[in-house]
């Protein structure tokens, strides 16, 4: 059960992509410096993070008290991980210095025995590892490990790795099947995949064993969280008290018995990612089956067309099959990012393009929508339909913001965006034994080590705006290049050195295996017609509505282009769509234009209901659609992804 | 500013109506005995009320502790008021005995100085009248007064009136503009209208003055609830902390400045009812203007087609104009009942049929839907669209029950239904100076004292199933009969003694003023075609949907008749509807039948989104609609009032 391929290391690709390179630059020049200010409480008009200060208090360098969420530490770890990815590809002395000072602080905050959690270190009366269900101790540890591995691999600094290993060793001594060990697992997952990553770097088998233990133990009877609550005696509200019960924590049953994506969406996809890692590393096909089942359930029944997941703010959770409300949605940016984590793991395990389809859909739509074009403001929740008045006046939509925010008290999403964008090359390509797989059409220079060849390729594309991708071979040799044909694509042409090649994709990839010469070219041209889409009729919210997509991009209507009352617009059948280049709009996009009809408000003042006869008048109008990821960059207004059909 | 008319006293009408008489009987034979058992904690499988027991504890007859809501006392008062209405029209020794025992208990529970609230009497550490905002002390007093007046008027027993007057006197000493008085007003209104009612019976001007004080003082600056919170120092959550702020309590500004129906819906309509009473009794046209403004806002922008009000469960409140979600609706039975209270007051003040239209719409639809056909189960929330799976699995719909419940911890709705149905004659007719107004077409014998005539009429109708109403004059004389023509009615015929009379309604009423002879007949025939209705296009939830009505009745689709997935059904334009008599169905109803189309689920397994082409297939099907009030009497299933149009 060897995985088909592995992601390329970060440094194997230099991204020059017209679409993504500027965004990755924004991460380095805007987001990470901004987030550093936030972590240090130097931002005006936002809630102070207190994150760095908590470490200073824990390290004995400051006398204050702990403030912030119980998982506040993780914000610094996520920031460090994102910084590592940037430093890997481009020196940045200011970021390096900030990161060094943060690592210094973390080293000083760790206790001699290896423990590290500023909340517990500043609350000595509270017993460590006594509330795994709610207090995020292992979650913070997981993020520490992720950051440490990233720093060691990408930035060549192993101090944080030392901290992480000492802490992982302590956790390994604390948790396990032994009589004197705790038989628990985290309420918020991530440490599972972090431990596998640590194992892959260090080859220390204890880390893999511990990851496997956390996964196998989850949901076993007697339920650890129930035992823990009994010992605790005084536990406050737990999400297990809601409809979701322990499935909020993905702990209602053993993970191998779970067939539906349930509970807190971010936790779920983090767990599934760890499950996939453990399945691959321990060669456990049953565990991989469980992953596939959960992926299928999610993608076939619980995913928005934008690639977003999590239908309700109550518990930030999945609900049930086909329940995909557009306005009261949760669709946390982190959940979509976690979905990319999970899909990338299954993709490499099986090399089936449907996993890459999901990564692409989430990335270009509901992940990117999480940040403003200037990378200064962020969405936590990514709605598919917004009426600002409703967000303002309806307490049920209190979680939905019609405009991106500067920072959040629970600031998980902005650094997670920085992590994902910084590690984009690992999503674009994978290396099989003798084949280089291209998943995403991101321009740049790639250098991959296959079993018997080093492959270097140049990639040019104007994706997602055009469907033409051109690969130029830099290294001669005999090896395979596998090019993904997206699931959404109904027509394509492949040329090698200008000559058409007839080939049918296998599991979403066209395999070209030959002896390559330098400067050979492979050109893939994907047809990108504008396509109105239906949701499965089981999705009640989308009945009688269309969504307009082009290539990987979901489009939407904004009030800025189309006026308010978007619910009064109707797309007629057989609508003809026109695509226009708009280099000056929203950072350079393609807009879509079409004819539509707007229902008149032919009601008398004060008339709330009236006989249907004579009451429908339609006015022809022109619609302008923009890519969903670019919405809410032009002030407050309505937005909708799904448009009613005539 | 004398009101145009007054409601008839309860005893002025003997109801023999085929539709309502059996329902009123059910109140006497089913609901009230059942509720008595509930109040005495003798029901199995339901939460104990503890209401009677609280009175026993307060009276020193039992040693237990107080249990239940802080306003638990009001359940007994509402029950007593409903019992009084029944005893007024029909002796019932068992109910009488139960009521007598309850009144005995209340008399014994009242303190020597006149105070009466079992929560505070059993919590001596808590200061009386110190938390008007949240603790419902004046609300309970208001219900006591309502019950006392009803008992004195209808059942000829003044013991409870003595209790009420003593307590009202204490409240009058406690509240007012004096330096040593509290300048507050209730967080939950009702005492305002109760005091006016007490004034009308006793003619004691202090009671009217106090009602006016509570209304005028409300929302004045400095805000009493803020002052109270400062004195309290330790106040728990208040609804003022939500979006609604103090408008939750209708206290964000003085009532005369309020133009929109806001906050807790039941409180709002109870306040407005008191405002209308005070406006009429103190001849205050500005206050009546405020009432009219609030009524117009509610009815033109915030009312469901079923006559229901209150769009959100968060605070059981109004939201904003045209926000009328069908599935997450609140639409508390009590809110619709309170709307009837308010509309009846404005109707008598102005005698405009649009107020009667609202009473009729609420009564026949969203009030009656509050109880099962056997009067044994009740809805608190009256949704217009239900998918049982969603109610079960979606925490956002936790407040929506797909089936009626036996009883509630907060048991306001069932006794309120008993109050309204028991006092129905006061909604059916009003007496003007020389004119008897008929608002509702309820069969029975009426006897009304006008200024210069006593009028007796027989009323026969098969309403709401047929539009023919026949009045037979029992008393000769010169007086007017004014017959309402409903706002929904597009065609009607009026005959006197079999001969057509051409007359145009004025403000919704046809006035027939003549010298009547015994056995003269007036026959009004209202056309009742099935009419598909649109909502104002500003109502986003109802865009592209139709609601089928016939006469006063809103119809709905139930899964029992039409299968599940009601969202896949479409009504084509120009649908032809057929009405069928179904004497054996749901207590005897008329059903509506029509052709429709059902969208196929032409999606492959696992396909969540697909290009729109080729994906729509329609199957012709037959629909059966039933009256909305009768839904959920045949087991669990989907229901919808609004149907998508083709």
């Amino acid at each position: 059960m060897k995985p088909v391929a592995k992601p390329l290391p970060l440094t194997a690709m230099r991204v020059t992509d017209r679409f993504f390179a500027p965004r990755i630059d924004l991460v380095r020049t805007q987001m990470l410096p901004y987030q550093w200010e936030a972590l240090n409480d130097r931002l005006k008009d936002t809630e102070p993070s207190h994150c760095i200060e908590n470490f200073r208090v824990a390290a004995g360098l400051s006398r204050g008290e702990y403030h912030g969420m119980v998982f506040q530490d993780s914000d610094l770890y996520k920031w460090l991980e994102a910084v590592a990815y940037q430093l890997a590809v481009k020196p940045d002395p200011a970021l390096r210095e900030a990161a060094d000072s943060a690592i210094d602080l973390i080293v000083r905050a760790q206790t001699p025995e290896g423990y590290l959690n500023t909340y517990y270190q500043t609350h000595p009366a509270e017993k460590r590892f006594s509330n795994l269900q709610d207090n995020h101790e292992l979650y913070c540890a997981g993020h520490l490990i992720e950051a440490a591995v990233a720093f060691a691999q990408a930035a060549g600094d192993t101090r944080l790795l030392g901290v992480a290993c000492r802490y992982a060793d302590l956790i390994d001594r604390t948790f396990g099947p032994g009589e004197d060990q705790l038989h628990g697992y985290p309420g918020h997952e991530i440490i599972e995949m972090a431990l596998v990553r640590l194992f892959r770097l260090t080859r220390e088998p204890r880390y893999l064993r511990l990851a496997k233990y956390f996964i196998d133990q989850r949901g076993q009877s007697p339920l650890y969280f129930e035992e823990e609550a009994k010992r605790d005696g005084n536990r406050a509200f737990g999400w297990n008290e809601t409809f979701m019960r322990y499935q909020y924590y993905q702990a209602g049953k053993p993970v191998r018995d779970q067939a539906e994506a349930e509970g807190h969406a971010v936790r779920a996809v983090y767990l599934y990612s760890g499950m996939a890692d453990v399945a691959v590393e321990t060669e456990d096909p049953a565990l991989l089956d469980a992953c596939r089942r959960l992926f299928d359930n999610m993608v076939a029944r619980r995913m928005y067309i934008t690639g977003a997941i999590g239908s309700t703010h109550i518990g930030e959770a999945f609900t049930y099959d086909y329940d995909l409300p557009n306005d009261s949605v949760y669709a946390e940016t982190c959940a979509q990012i976690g979905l990319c984590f999970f899909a990338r793991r299954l993709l490499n395990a099986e090399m089936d393009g449907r996993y890459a389809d999901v990564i692409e859909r989430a990335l270009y739509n509901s992940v990117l929508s999480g940040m403003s074009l200037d990378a200064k403001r962020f969405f936590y929740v990514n709605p598919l339909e917004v009426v600002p008045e409703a967000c303002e006046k309806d307490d049920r939509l209190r979680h939905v913001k019609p405009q991106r925010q500067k920072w959040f008290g629970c600031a998980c999403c902005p650094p997670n965006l920085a992590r994902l964008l910084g590690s984009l090359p690992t999503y674009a390509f994978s290396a099989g034994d003798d084949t280089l797989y291209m998943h995403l059409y991101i321009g740049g220079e790639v250098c991959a080590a296959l079993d018997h060849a080093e492959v270097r390729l140049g990639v040019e594309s104007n994706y997602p705006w055009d469907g033409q991708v051109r690969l130029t071979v830099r290294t001669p040799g005999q090896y395979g290049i596998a090019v993904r044909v997206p699931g959404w694509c109904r027509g394509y042409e492949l040329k090698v050195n200008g000559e058409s090649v007839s080939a049918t994709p296998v599991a979403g990839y066209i395999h070209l295996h030959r002896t390559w010469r330098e400067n050979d070219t492979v050109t893939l041209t994907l047809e990108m017609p504008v396509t109105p889409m239906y949701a499965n009729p089981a999705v009640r919210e989308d009945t009688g509505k269309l969504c307009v997509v082009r290539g990987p991009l979901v489009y939407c209507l904004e009030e800025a282009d189309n006026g308010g009352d978007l619910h009064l617009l109707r797309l007629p059948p057989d609508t003809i769509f026109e695509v226009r280049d708009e280099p000056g709009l929203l950072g350079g996009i393609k807009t879509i234009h079409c004819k539509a009809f707007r229902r008149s408000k032919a009601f008398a003042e004060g008339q709330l209901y009236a006989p249907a006869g004579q009451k429908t008048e339609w006015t022809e109008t022109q619609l302008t659609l923009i890519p969903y990821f670019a919405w809410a960059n032009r002030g407050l207004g309505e937005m909708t992804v799904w448009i009613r059909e005539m």
Side-chain angles (χ1 to χ4, degrees), chain A:
Chain A
M1 223 202 65
K2 192 169 165 292
V4 179
K6 290 180 184 173
L8 293 195
L10 196 55
T11 47
M13 182 174 185
R14 188 163 59 83
V15 176
T16 58
D17 189 67
R18 270 180 270 177
F19 186 78
F20 275 115
R23 287 181 162 81
I24 296 172
D25 273 353
L26 280 177
V27 170
R28 196 186 69 253
T29 60
Q30 275 296 338
M31 279 174 72
L32 292 175
Y34 184 87
Q35 289 173 15
W36 179 246
E37 296 304 295
L39 295 170
N40 282 281
D41 307 329
R42 292 193 291 254
L43 290 187
K44 286 173 193 162
D45 310 329
T46 60
E47 302 173 58
S49 155
H50 217 263
C51 179
I52 293 284
E53 184 62 16
N54 288 339
F55 277 96
R56 292 178 48 80
V57 174
L61 301 172
S62 178
R63 289 210 186 158
E65 287 182 358
Y66 184 95
H67 289 286
M69 303 282 185
V70 71
F71 48 82
Q72 209 74 355
D73 289 2
S74 65
D75 285 353
L76 180 58
Y77 301 145
K78 277 187 277 189
W79 179 83
L80 279 169
E81 187 186 343
V83 167
Y85 298 152
Q86 293 291 332
L87 295 180
V89 295
K90 194 159 191 171
D92 187 310
L95 275 183
R96 179 95 210 189
E97 194 187 318
D100 281 347
S101 75
I103 292 172
D104 281 345
L105 190 55
I106 293 168
V107 169
R108 295 181 71 158
Q110 188 170 38
T111 70
E113 73 271 27
Y115 184 82
L116 181 53
N117 182 294
T118 71
Y119 174 81
Y120 278 94
Q121 290 174 252
T122 56
H123 293 79
E126 291 191 39
K127 194 161 174 283
R128 294 170 189 179
F129 303 122
S130 69
N131 186 349
L132 298 182
Q133 178 180 289
D134 300 314
N135 281 3
H136 290 67
E137 230 165 339
L138 295 173
Y139 170 80
C140 290
H143 270 300
L144 166 66
I145 295 167
E146 291 267 339
V149 174
F151 242 86
Q153 286 180 323
D157 181 335
T158 59
R159 284 182 303 157
L160 203 57
L161 187 66
V163 172
C165 287
R166 278 192 295 281
Y167 195 13
D169 293 343
L170 181 149
I171 294 168
D172 181 52
R173 291 193 300 274
T174 308
F175 291 89
E179 272 189 22
D180 56 344
Q181 288 178 300
L182 295 175
H183 308 322
Y185 39 85
H188 193 317
E189 302 91 334
I190 191 176
I191 197 168
E192 301 84 352
M193 62 173 146
L195 284 167
V196 175
R197 204 171 166 189
L198 188 61
F199 158 74
R200 285 174 178 155
L201 180 67
T202 63
R203 307 311 299 178
E204 170 53 61
R206 283 185 292 112
Y207 300 147
L208 178 60
R209 252 191 337 253
L210 181 57
K212 180 171 157 55
Y213 179 78
F214 281 145
I215 280 169
D216 287 344
Q217 183 61 11
R218 192 165 206 90
Q220 298 292 349
S221 185
L223 198 68
Y224 186 78
F225 294 152
E226 280 184 341
E227 306 286 301
E228 196 181 64
K230 277 182 216 157
R231 282 199 296 273
D232 192 334
N234 194 21
R235 184 156 289 184
F237 169 79
W239 284 97
N240 49 297
E241 293 166 39
T242 66
F243 281 1
M244 294 173 275
R245 308 220 53 249
Y246 286 100
Q247 273 303 93
Y248 169 81
Y249 309 96
Q250 297 77 47
K253 45 196 159 188
V255 301
R256 285 171 175 76
D257 299 340
Q258 296 186 23
E260 295 183 321
E262 288 181 306
H264 188 277
V266 174
R267 301 182 196 216
V269 284
Y270 282 16
L271 167 66
Y272 306 157
S273 298
M275 285 164 61
D277 281 340
V278 168
V280 165
E281 291 297 341
T282 64
E283 303 197 3
D284 183 340
L287 189 56
L288 199 63
D289 281 348
C291 290
R292 207 182 293 111
R293 215 159 46 227
L294 289 162
F295 182 88
D296 288 347
N297 171 255
M298 199 161 31
V299 167
R301 292 156 191 262
R302 301 182 179 199
M303 187 182 75
Y304 288 90
I305 196 164
T306 57
I309 51 174
S311 295
T312 181
H313 67 289
I314 300 177
E316 309 183 312
F318 291 102
T319 55
Y320 55 98
D321 285 350
Y322 304 114
D323 179 44
L324 295 162
N326 294 307
D327 58 349
S328 64
V329 50
Y330 205 66
E332 182 181 340
T333 305
C334 290
Q336 284 90 256
I337 291 172
L339 177 58
C340 291
F341 296 167
F342 179 39
R344 189 187 73 180
R345 283 158 171 84
L346 291 178
L347 174 62
N348 285 303
E350 304 186 0
M351 206 45 64
D352 188 323
R354 69 201 191 95
Y355 300 118
D357 288 346
V358 167
I359 292 171
E360 184 183 83
R361 178 173 294 206
L363 176 63
Y364 282 97
N365 298 290
S366 56
V367 169
L368 272 192
S369 64
M371 58 190 268
S372 60
L373 293 177
D374 62 5
K376 288 184 178 171
R377 289 171 178 264
F378 307 94
F379 275 138
Y380 202 103
V381 167
N382 292 275
L384 283 81
E385 181 181 324
V386 162
V387 174
E389 182 184 21
C391 298
E392 183 197 335
K393 295 183 179 173
D394 187 347
D395 252 310
R396 288 166 300 199
L397 299 179
R398 188 188 273 266
H399 60 291
V400 180
K401 306 295 175 205
Q403 295 207 285
R404 293 180 184 83
Q405 312 289 301
K406 285 206 270 184
W407 195 250
F408 309 97
C410 172
C412 48
C413 300
N416 241 345
L417 273 162
R419 291 208 297 156
L420 185 74
L421 288 175
S423 59
L424 210 49
T426 68
Y427 293 85
F429 286 88
S430 297
D433 293 343
D434 61 353
T435 302
L436 179 64
Y437 291 88
M438 179 173 65
H439 313 304
L440 303 178
Y441 317 104
I442 295 178
E445 291 291 324
V446 183
C447 174
L450 308 183
D451 274 3
H452 303 290
E454 189 189 80
V455 181
R456 285 198 288 126
L457 288 179
V459 186
E460 291 163 86
S461 94
N462 191 28
Y463 209 74
W465 310 117
D466 290 325
Q468 200 176 72
V469 189
R470 184 186 166 93
L471 305 182
T472 306
V473 172
R474 310 276 191 229
T475 46
Q478 194 183 351
Y479 51 87
I481 297 175
V483 181
R484 170 176 158 259
V485 176
W488 54 258
C489 183
R490 298 276 161 270
Y492 60 89
E493 191 182 26
L494 188 75
K495 288 183 179 171
V496 176
N497 296 327
E499 276 176 40
S500 283
V501 173
S502 165
T504 310
V506 176
Y509 290 82
I510 296 174
H511 288 254
L512 299 167
H513 215 281
R514 58 174 73 193
T515 303
W516 299 97
R517 290 165 307 173
E518 199 172 337
N519 292 324
D520 275 356
T521 59
V522 177
T523 313
L524 175 69
T525 306
L526 306 169
E527 288 175 18
M528 264 195 193
V530 177
T531 309
M533 303 284 287
Y534 278 141
N536 188 310
V539 182
R540 288 171 191 268
E541 289 276 336
D542 298 337
T543 299
K545 295 178 184 171
L546 294 162
C547 169
V548 175
V549 306
R550 180 174 179 267
L553 294 180
V554 170
Y555 275 70
C556 68
L557 293 176
E558 268 203 315
E559 184 172 344
D561 302 304
N562 305 288
D565 288 326
L566 298 177
H567 68 290
L568 298 182
L569 295 167
R570 295 283 186 285
L571 279 185
D574 306 318
T575 294
I576 293 164
F577 298 96
E578 184 206 339
V579 180
R580 276 187 222 152
D581 240 329
E582 304 254 23
L585 185 65
L586 293 166
I589 59 170
K590 291 200 177 186
T591 50
I592 296 176
H593 301 261
C594 66
K595 197 174 78 174
F597 291 91
R598 179 178 275 275
R599 184 177 201 144
S600 75
K601 293 188 172 183
F603 266 62
E605 175 63 28
Q607 196 173 29
L608 189 50
Y609 305 102
Q614 314 297 328
K615 284 292 174 199
T616 320
E617 289 166 25
W618 298 97
T619 317
E620 195 178 311
T621 185
Q622 285 292 322
L623 298 188
T624 299
L625 295 102
I626 64 161
Y628 172 74
F629 74 77
W631 87 276
N633 280 287
R634 294 178 292 173
L636 202 64
E638 286 185 33
M639 183 276 291
T640 191
V641 165
W642 290 94
I643 308 168
R644 286 170 176 78
E645 58 182 342
M646 191 87 194

